[in-house]
Amino acid sequence: MNIIEMDALLKRSLRPGRYIHSVNTMKEAISLAEHYGEDKAAAAVAGLLHDCAKNLKDEETREYCRANGIKLNEIEQRQVFLMHGEVGAILAKEQYGVEDNIILNAIRYHTTGFAKMSPMDKIVFLADYIEPGRTHCEADDVRRLAYADINKALVCAFDNIIKYVIMQNGLLHPFTIEARNKLLLQNKDF
Ligand SMILES: [Fe+2]
Ligand SMILES: [Fe+2]
């Protein structure tokens, strides 16, 4: 399936607002890939499809996980929406014909982050957070850093996300903590 066909299928399966966010994320991911010398075509597909499982109901998400041998931990059981990255990677492969693991992992980890994020994982995570449709002021801080220092931008995004989850009395996913810790440990100037 080429990206035009992917776009048409995605448009049919998401609500209009979510589809617009997906196209915006694709464009931002292409810009970031261009800026950081990564594969723009892969960034386009990963950005476009990152939320392809977002329309599923919790029970459908659980069923996809069961069928694919993915066990939900306690945090994921309570916050099933966290699994739309994992299930998105499954749908991207099964329904959109994506085989490239660089793309599939970027979709997989866009909700929680991951300790060993690849450049493409970082690009899609950030693109999702800063695309122009994200108008909350916290996105501005990340936006300012995104094209200057991708790792600092990610730490800023994780800080914001962690603070938000705490404010909502939500459960923090360990992958998010691990991803932030890893970035801090790797960079001496934090
Ligand atoms: Fe998402
Ligand atoms: Fe998204």
Side-chain angles (χ1 to χ4, degrees), residues 18 21-22 25 50-51 54 84 110 128-129 134:
R18 182 62 50 182
H21 160 68
S22 300
T25 302
H50 78 286
D51 273 343
K54 192 83 178 186
H84 78 268
H110 89 270
D128 183 27
Y129 197 84
R134 304 289 208 189

Side-chain angles (χ1 to χ4, degrees), residues 25-87:
T25 302
M26 174 187 76
K27 290 178 183 167
E28 195 73 51
I30 294 169
S31 302
L32 285 164
E34 166 117 67
H35 185 77
Y36 287 109
E38 296 296 329
D39 183 341
K40 286 190 282 179
V45 173
L48 181 68
L49 297 183
H50 78 286
D51 273 343
C52 68
K54 192 83 178 186
N55 62 318
L56 297 180
K57 297 189 177 75
D58 280 1
E59 203 32 61
E60 293 172 309
T61 301
R62 285 182 207 277
E63 186 48 45
Y64 267 105
C65 289
R66 253 193 304 273
N68 287 275
I70 299 162
K71 285 198 112 182
L72 275 62
N73 64 31
E74 271 184 321
I75 294 163
E76 294 160 349
Q77 290 280 5
R78 184 88 71 86
Q79 300 176 159
V80 178
F81 64 89
L82 288 171
M83 301 309 289
H84 78 268
E86 191 73 55
V87 174

